[in-house]
Amino acid sequence: MLHTAFLILIPGLFVFTLVGLSMGARRLLGIRIGNIRAAIAGTVGVLATMQIISAMGPSSHRPAMTSVQVLCGIIVTMLFLAFSEVLLPSSVLSDIVRLPRALRGRVARTRRYAELSAIAMRNGLSPSLRGLARAGSPKGTVAGRRHAARQVRLALEEAGSTFVKLGQMLSTRYDLLPTEYVEEFSRLHHQAAPDPWERVRKALTEELGQDPDDVFASFDPVPLAAGSMAQVHRARLADGQEVAVKVQRPGAQPVVERDLDILHRLGRKLEEHAHWARSLGLCELINGFAVSLHEELDFRTEARNMAAVTSAASSGAAGAVRTPRVHEEYSTQRVLTLEWLDGVPLTSVGTAVADRGLDGAKLARQLLDCVLEQIMLGGVFHADPHPGNVLLLDTGQIGLIDFGSVGRLDRTMRSALRDLLLAFHRSDPTALSDAMLEIVERPEQIDERKLERSLGRFMARHLGPGSRPNREVFSELFLLVARHDLTVPPEVAATFRALATVEGTVERLVPDFDIVAEARRFAAVRVREEMTYERVKESLIDEAIALTSVLRRLPRRVDRITGALEDGRLGVRIRLLADERDRRFVSGLVHDVLMSFIGGIIALVGAVLLSIDGKPTIIGSVSLSQLIGYNLLGVSCILVLRVIFSISRGRG
């Protein structure tokens, strides 16, 4: 029985010691390692400890020597971990583990690179890209830039949906790209062959948890529309409601992730070697594009966007425009089920407005006011209201669909945009300059008087007597901003792009619709509504409440400042090390210095104790003071190892 217990105890003690040594060494060095490396390090430490015990002879079995043996085991384990981390870092081991998957990804990426290179060569993309420059640059002729822009557009369309959407995003950036590129990118479209019904059925079953025949009373296997990322089918629920079901293609996400990875790599390379890429801030643009594309792949985001827009459209013009209701119980990340709206898109409206006796001007005004209310009041707006996303319903109303692409504006930005429209309405260049400086990302140095004079000339040219501004006014404004080295935030660029798109859409209802005049009218009406007695009173009360606490503290602050000034005690405090990275660096440096100092002191004390030949002796000729000295030297070695390892790894 004792023999069996002994056989069980020995392996357990070995494992316990192994785990203790590996965990202790890992914590003392301050590194994270994998389980395999930890097990190897612990085994080395245990074996080294056993060798040390054996070399110490019979005295090693004395309890007093246990602490020295443990310290020696920890030191050996730390040395093994330190050398193994230097020779073969954990990141390298992780790369080796991930190597098969990385190789598969590299092969797929290389194949895609070859495909994109062939597309670029077919379309002569290299010379076309050399024609790119920041907006307002005189580089090249107009005809040359138009030809180059067309070549880039054709290449983007051939490259697939991810690159098409990148071009569509760039088509909002009047401030970054020449006008010829913006106009050409606005024509980007991409259609794809629909997926077979069996693949669609499988995707629906995976997302909804049931076969489509068990969820829907009927489901049309032939899609109404098919894009590169999703396709739309018509169906009927069990209660008889007609719905539109948007289904994401099964392979859409991996394709997007692969293309985004390629875009990030290309962006970094282009910024290193191409001036136009650096001037555009290409990597930052791609990062923002990747975020929006990931949102678009999650249909739950689109459902939330629709809910936000619909909740803000409870009255006024926004309430006159229909948006489909989301059936949340039949919607997931890859499936979106929407209320069916009976109507025809404005791309196919033809003479239907006149034939049905509808007022096209009223419908156009309702659509524009709806988008403006989304922008100015709600802060969440449809960013792509092109004619295909706007329906003329059988009820005679306007319907707005496809909220995969939306823009968001905070309260400060919405207020600045209202001020901008009011400045347009009053033809006030000073107010327009102030509003623009609230909107753009301004540099540290800017000549505000020069900007104001440029805006004055701009308003005289586009808003003077006899002029009729159109969508070109937005591109001209963006070019003017670019010439003053100001950068328009992406959300504001999307706002102006949405307004330019709306103008092209409402022209299907009313030719020569004056969107600038209508926007000025909208701003004036909204300001008059805000200037009623009740609204002004409410606003003043809110501001007074916000200022109450400040005003209450103001006399005491003024008294303290004047008192300090009178006594000659007034000073200015400058906070050092405000940056978190600086604080981390200094903290680590102080930590290492203190550890080195303490380790040195402990080693010195240990050496002094070892030199003392005194009583009592506890293990052979080893005295108590010498035993303590051995332990102190072990602790000193551990501290010094920690500092050396920290220095060798560097500090970020």
Side-chain angles (χ1 to χ4, degrees), residues 475-489:
S475 60
E476 287 288 333
L477 184 60
F478 275 44
L479 288 173
L480 186 150
V481 166
R483 283 194 290 269
H484 286 267
D485 294 325
L486 303 174
T487 302
V488 178

Side-chain angles (χ1 to χ4, degrees), residues 30-330:
I31 60 174
R32 292 185 177 184
I33 57 175
N35 294 328
I36 297 176
R37 192 194 291 256
I40 295 173
T43 303
V44 170
V46 171
L47 294 176
T49 304
M50 292 172 64
Q51 289 295 322
I52 293 170
I53 293 173
S54 176
M56 292 175 66
S59 63
S60 64
H61 298 292
R62 305 281 183 89
M65 296 301 295
T66 302
S67 59
V68 176
Q69 295 160 5
V70 170
L71 286 172
C72 289
I74 291 176
I75 291 171
V76 171
T77 308
M78 288 178 66
L79 284 170
F80 176 83
L81 280 180
F83 280 113
S84 67
E85 184 68 21
V86 171
L87 296 175
L88 192 63
S90 300
S91 58
V92 174
L93 283 178
S94 301
D95 291 341
I96 293 174
V97 172
R98 293 193 297 264
L99 184 59
R101 186 173 61 182
L103 285 175
R104 289 194 298 271
R106 184 178 292 273
V107 169
R109 190 164 57 245
T110 302
R111 190 182 300 118
R112 183 61 168 159
Y113 274 133
E115 182 182 342
L116 293 174
S117 299
I119 292 172
M121 291 177 64
R122 281 197 298 272
N123 292 278
L125 201 58
S126 180
S128 300
L129 290 178
R130 283 199 296 269
L132 269 173
R134 187 178 174 88
S137 170
K139 186 175 182 178
T141 63
V142 173
R145 289 197 298 269
R146 283 177 179 167
H147 175 74
R150 183 174 181 275
Q151 297 300 108
V152 176
R153 175 180 66 82
L154 293 174
L156 291 174
E157 286 182 348
E158 192 175 349
S161 59
T162 306
F163 293 88
V164 167
K165 290 185 177 296
L166 175 64
Q168 290 171 343
M169 183 271 290
L170 290 174
S171 71
T172 68
R173 303 311 304 262
Y174 291 96
D175 59 322
L176 297 181
L177 295 178
T179 305
E180 294 78 15
Y181 282 84
V182 171
E183 292 176 350
E184 196 66 40
F185 289 173
S186 300
R187 301 187 179 97
L188 279 166
H189 66 280
H190 188 75
Q191 294 295 326
D195 268 344
W197 166 239
E198 288 307 317
R199 293 191 67 191
V200 176
R201 179 193 289 274
K202 182 180 178 182
L204 285 167
T205 303
E206 290 174 354
E207 290 296 310
L208 301 178
Q210 301 180 66
D211 189 271
D213 292 337
D214 298 329
V215 178
F216 302 97
S218 64
F219 197 101
D220 189 352
V222 179
L224 298 169
S228 296
M229 295 187 183
Q231 56 191 56
V232 181
H233 294 258
R234 186 170 185 172
R236 181 183 294 109
L237 299 177
D239 59 5
Q241 293 186 68
E242 296 282 343
V243 293
V245 183
K246 186 177 180 181
V247 187
Q248 190 177 119
R249 289 179 180 269
Q253 187 150 357
V255 171
V256 168
E257 294 293 346
R258 180 198 62 194
D259 285 348
L260 285 177
D261 179 57
I262 290 174
L263 279 174
H264 283 298
R265 293 170 185 270
L266 287 175
R268 288 193 293 268
K269 290 292 183 183
L270 287 171
E271 282 205 351
E272 289 175 7
H273 300 99
H275 173 73
W276 64 264
R278 289 191 295 273
S279 68
L280 291 181
L282 192 58
C283 284
E284 185 179 352
L285 283 174
I286 291 173
N287 289 334
F289 168 67
V291 171
S292 65
L293 198 55
H294 281 128
E295 286 188 357
E296 196 168 337
L297 283 171
D298 189 345
F299 290 167
R300 294 171 298 187
T301 302
E302 183 173 348
R304 289 193 293 269
N305 294 340
M306 294 184 67
V309 171
T310 303
S311 64
S314 57
S315 62
V321 175
R322 287 281 308 278
T323 55
R325 182 174 64 87
V326 179
H327 292 272
E328 295 184 1
E329 63 275 24
Y330 305 112

Side-chain angles (χ1 to χ4, degrees), residues 226-455:
S228 296
M229 295 187 183
Q231 56 191 56
V232 181
H233 294 258
R234 186 170 185 172
R236 181 183 294 109
L237 299 177
D239 59 5
Q241 293 186 68
E242 296 282 343
V243 293
V245 183
K246 186 177 180 181
V247 187
Q248 190 177 119
R249 289 179 180 269
Q253 187 150 357
V255 171
V256 168
E257 294 293 346
R258 180 198 62 194
D259 285 348
L260 285 177
D261 179 57
I262 290 174
L263 279 174
H264 283 298
R265 293 170 185 270
L266 287 175
R268 288 193 293 268
K269 290 292 183 183
L270 287 171
E271 282 205 351
E272 289 175 7
H273 300 99
H275 173 73
W276 64 264
R278 289 191 295 273
S279 68
L280 291 181
L282 192 58
C283 284
E284 185 179 352
L285 283 174
I286 291 173
N287 289 334
F289 168 67
V291 171
S292 65
L293 198 55
H294 281 128
E295 286 188 357
E296 196 168 337
L297 283 171
D298 189 345
F299 290 167
R300 294 171 298 187
T301 302
E302 183 173 348
R304 289 193 293 269
N305 294 340
M306 294 184 67
V309 171
T310 303
S311 64
S314 57
S315 62
V321 175
R322 287 281 308 278
T323 55
R325 182 174 64 87
V326 179
H327 292 272
E328 295 184 1
E329 63 275 24
Y330 305 112
S331 300
T332 66
Q333 181 177 350
R334 296 171 54 207
V335 175
L336 183 63
T337 304
L338 303 169
E339 172 191 5
W340 180 265
L341 297 181
D342 282 313
V344 295
L346 294 192
T347 51
S348 308
V349 72
T351 60
V353 175
D355 294 342
R356 294 165 60 179
L358 300 174
D359 187 347
K362 180 180 178 181
L363 294 174
R365 195 172 294 113
Q366 286 177 347
L367 176 60
L368 175 61
D369 286 358
C370 172
V371 174
L372 286 172
E373 285 183 9
Q374 292 173 10
I375 293 170
M376 303 297 179
L377 304 180
V380 181
F381 61 93
H382 197 303
D384 192 22
H386 63 76
N389 286 337
V390 181
L391 305 179
L392 177 62
L393 303 180
D394 294 345
T395 59
Q397 293 176 284
I398 291 293
L400 198 56
I401 61 173
D402 192 359
F403 285 77
S405 176
V406 300
R408 294 180 178 87
L409 297 170
D410 58 34
R411 184 174 180 179
T412 302
M413 198 65 73
R414 297 199 301 271
S415 176
L417 284 172
R418 282 197 296 269
D419 293 342
L420 185 142
L421 287 180
L422 278 175
F424 267 106
H425 180 67
R426 300 197 306 267
S427 297
D428 185 347
T430 302
L432 182 59
S433 175
D434 293 340
M436 286 299 302
L437 291 176
E438 286 292 324
I439 290 172
V440 300
E441 297 173 2
R442 55 187 294 177
E444 293 183 3
Q445 299 293 331
I446 181 174
D447 189 340
E448 295 189 21
R449 294 292 301 276
K450 184 177 179 181
L451 174 64
E452 185 178 328
R453 288 194 296 270
S454 298
L455 289 171

